[in-house]
Amino acid sequence: MKNILLIWLALVSACNLPTPVKKSEHYAIVIHGGAGGMRQENMTSAQQKAYAQELEAALNKGYSILENKGSAIDAVQSAIISMENAPLFNAGKGAVYNSDGNQEMDASIMEGNGLNSGAVAGVNHIKNPILAARMVMDSSSHVMLSGKGAEILARKHHLNMVDSSYFFTQKRMNQFNKEQGRHQASNKKEDLIDDHKFGTVGAVAIDQEGNIAAGTSTGGISNKKYGRIGDSPIIGAGTYANNLTCGISATGTGEYFIRTVAAHEVSNLIQYKGLQPDEALREVIFKQIAPMGGEGGMILIDKKGSVYWDFNSNGMYRAYKKSSGEMVIKLFGKE
Ligand code: ASP
């Protein structure tokens, strides 16, 4: 037994893979429900309440797993499922439409212990795309599967499959019609909040073992070209987790997050340049993404269990809960 343990330790150190840093009493979860042009003056108080309630529900689902000594990856998955099932967000039910009037969803998930990861892209029959990403991670030798292949495997693994009409919401259909110029721009409050809003969902957690995990799920960008894949399912761009540094989930104009390999860049700035997480986020969002014309934000938990977020859009739906009992839910500006 001792020999097996020694061999295992030797293998791990030879591969230089991130292992659990140390047991942490500082478990925590942070989530986002997308960044964009949301403004308080454009939302009714009922709408604000609805978003805050869905964020809180997702946060609590993830947090209760951490509290009961569950893993960060299960907490991330559970918080994301909750937001995928909520039609308010652009992920799972409520996903935006592409330029053909179809919904194509992307998701990814990653463990900071060992850099294990999984992703799916362009799926539209899997009720919870984040579960398919987890399935790719746990049950295949690949990292990313797209479209038909991802759905065949999901069926084999008995994931909940749905007709694509399940993902329909009138709100997204109105947004699609508007973008297609089929009817005049509306000035109604409920229509305004979706202008320039990306709406992806994401979660990052650190558990009591000190393991970090991150995940992201999205319908992409409204009116995107069929087959377009954004940053959300791309490990290193929209999602990244590494026990040596932090976990990150991004939201925004995905093309810029891919070009800057945003999440991995933040992790590298922490690991190799010694930047603090808030400095690293600022560097990537404001010095790399923004000058190219990109917009959005990122949430982050570092290996000490500290939570950070930053964005260059008007707002970002976001929330966190820490083992200290502290809970914060915010929808708009930096305040
Ligand atoms: N980043 C996502 C994408 O480009 C969109 C979003 O964050 O809302 O697909």
Side-chain angles (χ1 to χ4, degrees):
M1 184 64 196
K2 203 173 152 203
N3 284 349
I4 294 173
L5 191 67
L6 285 174
I7 292 167
W8 180 80
L9 282 172
L11 277 174
V12 166
S13 54
C15 301
N16 199 21
L17 283 176
T19 51
V21 177
K22 63 174 170 27
K23 293 226 183 218
S24 167
E25 302 100 56
H26 305 294
Y27 55 95
I29 180 162
V30 59
I31 61 174
H32 70 76
M38 58 286 260
R39 290 179 189 278
Q40 191 158 14
E41 58 271 27
N42 288 339
M43 282 174 84
T44 64
S45 51
Q47 284 171 331
Q48 291 175 43
K49 200 167 153 206
Y51 275 96
Q53 273 172 350
E54 289 295 359
L55 287 173
E56 187 175 351
L59 202 59
N60 282 332
K61 287 210 172 106
Y63 187 83
S64 72
I65 289 177
L66 299 174
E67 204 174 21
N68 291 305
K69 297 195 165 57
S71 64
I73 195 89
D74 284 344
V76 160
Q77 175 180 298
S78 163
I80 292 181
I81 288 174
S82 178
M83 291 186 282
E84 284 179 339
N85 292 345
L88 288 181
F89 301 108
N90 170 20
K93 185 162 180 69
V96 297
Y97 288 91
N98 70 9
S99 60
D100 268 359
N102 295 314
Q103 289 151 302
E104 295 179 324
M105 284 151 269
D106 308 328
S108 66
I109 197 158
M110 181 167 192
E111 290 180 317
N113 174 17
L115 308 181
N116 212 7
S117 45
V120 291
V123 294
N124 75 346
H125 294 98
I126 303 170
K127 184 179 177 221
N128 292 108
I130 197 68
L131 285 176
R134 178 79 185 262
M135 169 202 72
V136 173
M137 179 175 100
D138 288 347
S139 312
S140 84
S141 52
H142 307 301
V143 169
M144 189 192 286
L145 291 184
S146 70
K148 223 171 157 188
E151 295 191 347
I152 290 171
L153 197 68
R155 250 184 213 106
K156 266 196 189 148
H157 283 269
H158 308 293
L159 293 196
N160 201 345
M161 306 301 288
V162 291
D163 186 84
S164 54
S165 60
Y166 162 78
F167 300 105
F168 170 88
T169 57
Q170 192 58 52
K171 178 180 87 170
R172 294 301 183 193
M173 185 46 84
N174 293 347
Q175 185 182 6
F176 169 69
N177 285 331
K178 192 160 111 191
E179 274 157 355
Q180 297 272 309
R182 295 217 186 113
H183 61 225
Q184 288 179 339
S186 160
N187 284 323
K188 284 205 304 210
K189 268 194 172 183
E190 51 270 35
D191 292 338
L192 277 174
I193 67 161
D194 288 321
D195 282 350
H196 313 295
K197 179 185 170 300
F198 307 118
T200 290
V201 305
V204 182
I206 183 165
D207 60 31
Q208 297 193 30
E209 296 292 319
N211 283 317
I212 300 173
T216 312
S217 179
T218 189
I221 284 182
S222 188
N223 210 25
K224 65 187 180 182
K225 277 272 171 292
Y226 37 84
R228 176 264 188 193
I229 293 166
D231 60 314
S232 307
I234 297 182
I235 296 301
T239 301
Y240 191 66
N242 186 330
N243 276 6
L244 296 176
T245 55
C246 62
I248 294 176
S249 171
T251 172
T253 40
E255 282 68 13
Y256 299 92
F257 286 76
I258 295 173
R259 289 164 64 189
T260 56
V261 201
H264 187 249
E265 179 79 347
V266 170
S267 172
N268 276 353
L269 287 171
I270 295 169
Q271 187 170 2
Y272 300 118
K273 225 179 164 190
L275 294 197
Q276 291 304 308
D278 53 339
E279 296 170 331
L281 284 173
R282 253 199 319 277
E283 167 76 26
V284 175
I285 295 170
F286 292 94
K287 298 206 182 131
Q288 299 188 25
I289 292 172
M292 292 194 297
E295 189 188 336
M298 290 184 255
I299 54 171
L300 181 155
I301 291 184
D302 73 0
K303 63 183 180 189
K304 290 183 260 170
S306 302
V307 173
Y308 300 84
W309 52 46
D310 209 343
F311 48 94
N312 70 337
S313 41
N314 278 335
M316 179 163 82
Y317 299 141
R318 61 206 189 276
Y320 68 79
K321 192 164 179 178
K322 294 179 176 176
S323 47
S324 61
E326 191 190 357
M327 179 167 105
V328 170
I329 300 175
K330 288 188 183 292
L331 305 183
F332 308 106
K334 293 278 163 80
E335 82 285 347

